[in-house]
């Protein structure tokens, strides 16, 4: 048996999404044209982009013209931050704020801009893994151009008080971006209720293809294009669109809109059972981050006396895929910057694994892991003990 509990890294593409993408790629369907071409083939391709844009707008309760297609979450985050920084440079606002637990796509972009003269502030988080609005209030200055705080964290799943944070940013004349890569498709995301100006999403996190995403830009928001060239995406992102992948993004958005409530309930029941039984059956375990303010699919658990990488490999040998944190930093022995920012002691940042569930997971798969995990942990603990 192979069990996949790493849906925050990526999700399998849903068969209905594959079907849509294959249809678009099949040249006998006349949908292979360049969406910028005026002829029949171009207009067929443009029609596919229009449908996908409507599907993404519906999922976000946004206006269709506010959705800009990108190559995924990383590009959307870069576009939001670099695009606003550049657009607002003339106003003299050269201060950027983000939380300390953002994805590398945000943190590294801030670092790059700080080398070019922008000042940056990283907001602390409590052990809950939540940003306190007071911390943002204290960080804001009249020079702040943009605040970027993620909607849901990829490692621990905590959901940030985005609406409160956006209100604070706006009160000081700054724009607000939220990286919603880990919340879109898992919990309702209503851009106007969130109060943000820009929002990033990525298709491969909700059963769509990799390499397709979107930046939602509220109408009237000042943001400069970072990819320059032709007039694609209403002059906001140049480059011939990846029509098949965008069709997949649209199909995944429609699928998510239709099953959001039922899947959230089903997956959170699985996650909660898994978590409760791990805590009950395996001594010296603890959940990282606030359990009551998380996306429904994620748990991050610390196993005292166990090295997270060893546990990941041992579980992989048993057929179960988990993660030690963000996909980008796994493979290195760097402790998670998220757990560190939460103030967890070093040993705990190195003995924690993330289990992230999704559409394909079942009760049988949860049972499969629960039947193996206690023994695996016991064995690793005895080995570590023996080495001491
Ligand atoms: C919170 C968050 N932001 C951004 C990204 C990057 O998205 P993509 O893989 O589409 O570039 C990820 C992916 O792991 C993520 O979890």
């Amino acid at each position: 048996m192979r069990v996949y509990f790493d849906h925050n890294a990526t999700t399998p593409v849903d068969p209905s999404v594959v079907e849509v993408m294959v249809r678009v790629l099949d040249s006998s369907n006349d949908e292979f044209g360049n969406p910028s071409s005026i002829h029949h083939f171009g207009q067929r391709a443009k029609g596919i982009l229009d449908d996908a844009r409507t599907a993404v707008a519906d999922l976000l309760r946004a206006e269709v013209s506010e959705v800009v297609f990108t190559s995924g979450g990383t590009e959307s985050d870069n576009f939001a931050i670099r695009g606003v920084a550049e657009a607002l440079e003339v106003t003299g606002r050269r201060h950027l704020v983000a939380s300390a637990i953002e994805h590398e796509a945000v943190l590294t972009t801030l670092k790059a801009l700080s080398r070019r003269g922008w000042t940056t502030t990283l907001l602390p988080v409590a052990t809950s893994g939540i940003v306190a609005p007071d911390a943002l209030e204290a960080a804001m200055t009249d020079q702040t151009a943009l605040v970027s705080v993620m909607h849901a964290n990829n490692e621990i799943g905590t959901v940030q008080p985005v609406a409160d944070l956006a209100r604070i940013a706006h009160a000081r004349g700054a724009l607000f971006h939220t990286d919603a890569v880990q919340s879109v498709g898992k919990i309702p995301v209503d851009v106007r209720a969130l109060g943000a100006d820009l929002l990033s999403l990525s298709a491969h996190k909700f059963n769509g293809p990799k390499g397709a995403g979107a930046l939602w830009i509220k109408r009237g928001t000042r943001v400069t294009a970072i990819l320059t060239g032709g007039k694609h995406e209403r002059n906001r992102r140049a480059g011939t669109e990846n029509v098949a992948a965008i069709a997949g993004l649209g199909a995944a958005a429609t699928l998510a809109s239709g099953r959001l409530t039922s899947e959230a309930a089903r997956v959170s029941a699985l996650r909660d059972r898994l978590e409760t039984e791990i805590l009950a059956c395996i001594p010296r375990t603890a959940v990282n981050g606030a359990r009551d303010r998380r996306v429904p699919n994620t748990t991050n658990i610390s196993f005292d006396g166990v090295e997270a990488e060893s546990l990941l490999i041992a579980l992989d040998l048993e057929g179960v895929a988990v993660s030690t944190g963000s996909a980008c930093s796994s493979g290195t022995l760097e402790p998670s910057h998220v757990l560190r920012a939460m103030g967890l002691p070093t040993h705990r940042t190195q003995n924690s694994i993330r289990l992230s569930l999704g559409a394909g997971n079942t009760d049988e798969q949860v049972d499969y892991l629960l039947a193996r995990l206690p023994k695996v942990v016991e064995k690793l603990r005895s080995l570590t003990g023996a080495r001491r």
Side-chain angles (χ1 to χ4, degrees):
M1 192 170 189
R2 286 261 166 218
V3 180
Y4 187 75
F5 285 145
D6 198 15
H7 290 81
N8 286 8
T10 196
T11 57
V13 182
D14 189 86
S16 66
V17 173
V18 174
E19 203 177 302
V20 168
M21 293 177 70
V22 168
R23 194 202 68 213
V24 173
L25 287 168
D26 180 348
S27 54
S28 66
N29 291 322
D30 283 7
E31 290 172 334
F32 62 85
N34 185 321
S36 300
S37 299
I38 287 162
H39 49 61
H40 165 78
F41 298 94
Q43 291 310 297
R44 285 291 299 269
K46 182 173 177 303
I48 289 165
L49 297 187
D50 291 344
D51 291 348
R53 210 180 302 278
T54 303
V56 171
D58 285 351
L59 181 61
L60 305 178
R61 307 232 179 288
E63 289 176 26
V64 174
S65 62
E66 296 174 323
V67 175
V68 180
F69 293 125
T70 67
S71 65
T74 300
E75 184 188 327
S76 296
D77 287 347
N78 269 266
F79 184 6
I81 297 166
R82 292 176 191 270
V84 167
E86 194 170 326
L88 296 192
E89 203 177 356
V90 288
T91 65
R93 286 181 177 259
R94 287 174 67 91
H95 177 226
L96 305 165
V97 179
S99 85
I101 61 167
E102 295 300 305
H103 187 268
E104 286 81 357
V106 168
L107 293 177
T108 312
T109 304
L110 245 58
K111 266 189 214 142
L113 288 171
S114 77
R115 284 194 292 272
R116 289 172 39 205
W118 271 269
T119 53
T120 59
T121 304
L122 293 186
L123 303 172
V125 291
T127 36
S128 59
I130 311 257
V131 175
D134 288 354
L136 176 60
E137 199 101 55
M140 294 300 297
T141 76
D142 293 336
Q143 261 70 55
T144 310
L146 179 73
V147 176
S148 182
V149 177
M150 68 203 323
H151 193 200
N153 181 266
N154 42 308
E155 293 189 32
I156 52 172
T158 47
V159 176
Q160 304 299 328
V162 165
D164 294 340
L165 299 171
R167 221 171 290 122
I168 293 167
H170 290 155
R172 297 296 289 269
L175 293 175
F176 190 91
H177 164 247
T178 189
D179 174 340
V181 166
Q182 293 290 351
S183 60
V184 168
K186 293 180 186 147
I187 55 173
V189 173
D190 176 329
V191 286
R192 298 239 140 50
L194 287 177
D197 303 292
L198 306 112
L199 177 144
S200 301
L201 63 88
S202 179
H204 77 100
K205 305 293 186 179
F206 56 100
N207 304 106
K210 294 162 188 62
L215 181 66
W216 167 77
I217 307 175
K218 190 168 87 184
R219 188 151 38 106
T221 303
R222 287 166 73 183
V223 51
T224 303
I226 57 167
L227 278 185
T228 50
K231 295 187 173 22
H232 312 86
E233 299 294 298
R234 296 169 168 235
N235 276 324
R236 292 171 297 187
R237 196 269 190 184
T240 302
E241 296 85 351
N242 184 350
V243 182
I246 291 170
L249 164 61
T254 303
L255 184 66
S257 294
R259 68 182 187 187
L260 199 64
T261 317
S262 59
E263 267 301 282
R266 194 189 70 84
V267 169
S268 71
L270 286 178
R271 188 271 314 266
D272 291 347
R273 185 164 79 81
L274 182 60
E275 188 174 83
T276 310
E277 296 203 17
I278 289 174
L279 295 181
C281 302
I282 306 179
R284 293 152 58 208
T285 48
V287 172
N288 297 316
R291 291 173 76 177
D292 56 343
R293 288 171 72 181
R294 287 181 298 177
V295 281
N297 78 318
T298 307
T299 177
N300 189 301
I301 303 182
S302 170
F303 296 81
D304 192 30
V306 175
E307 204 179 75
E309 269 76 16
S310 307
L311 182 51
L312 185 154
I313 292 162
L315 286 176
D316 193 38
L317 291 172
E318 296 280 344
V320 182
V322 302
S323 159
T324 55
S326 68
C328 316
S329 56
S330 61
T332 74
L333 287 175
E334 280 277 296
S336 147
H337 72 281
V338 175
L339 301 183
R340 238 181 347 189
M342 288 158 62
L344 296 184
T346 309
H347 71 272
R348 200 150 155 193
T349 64
Q350 290 167 340
N351 68 15
S352 300
I353 62 164
R354 175 184 75 186
L355 299 146
S356 50
L357 282 60
N361 291 141
T362 60
D363 269 309
E364 291 68 41
Q365 295 178 339
V366 168
D367 292 337
Y368 183 86
L369 175 59
L370 288 171
R372 284 157 183 80
L373 188 59
K375 277 185 227 120
V376 170
V377 170
E378 202 181 304
K379 189 166 167 211
L380 291 173
R381 278 178 177 162
S382 69
L383 288 175
T384 331
R387 257 193 268 131
R388 276 202 190 119

